[in-house]
Amino acid sequence: QMQYIAEQSGAVVVFPEYRLAPENPFPAPVEDAWGTVQWVHAHAAELGADPAKLMVAGDSAGGSLTNACVLQDEKGIIRIKNGRHPVVEGIYPSWDGSDYHEQTAYTWSYDAYEVADEDKKLAYSRIDRIKSSVDKDTDSSNSLYLQGHTTSHDPLVSAVFATDEQLKKFPETVIVAAEY
């Protein structure tokens, strides 16, 4: 996937690993992601890249880390100066990591989405796996990711809780979502 992006865009693509929970709970993954962005910006010339054209992307949890990087970017290094391209891409990103039992801005149910019969088993099994991880401990601050370090309402965890001022930091963003 990263090779395809590099070939199609002509860009230098850096695809880092980051520490994972439960062994390394929040903020370790955020620190790793933001540290990588800063390192790539500082070493862009060595990588054959233009530091004025830095794009950040991530999928799923990586989409949440992408959001956290933007929110920490006080110097505006995540920008493409010519303004012609999106500089943040979230591929089915996590914007709200709060417990679905507590969400009041929207409600969720299986009935809210039309799912083809032949897709229900796969789609519902994945949804149920995610829901069951929350149902084991409904205190989201005790999640394997957070382990009491913060709450799911921290904007570095759930960008949906960022203030209007924080959201103004977001450059042009593309969000890719799955059908279900």
Side-chain angles (χ1 to χ4, degrees), residues 55-58 63 66-67 84-93 95 170-177:
M55 176 183 180
V56 179
T66 297
N67 296 335
R84 295 182 325 172
H85 306 285
V87 294
V88 175
E89 182 168 341
I91 305 166
Y92 51 90
W95 282 83
F170 274 81
E172 185 176 339
T173 302
V174 171
I175 299 172
V176 179

Side-chain angles (χ1 to χ4, degrees), residues 98-104 131 134-139:
S98 61
D99 180 348
Y100 74 95
H101 295 100
E102 299 170 358
Q103 293 169 343
T104 59
K131 286 177 62 183
V134 173
D135 289 341
K136 289 178 184 171
D137 188 348
T138 58
D139 179 1

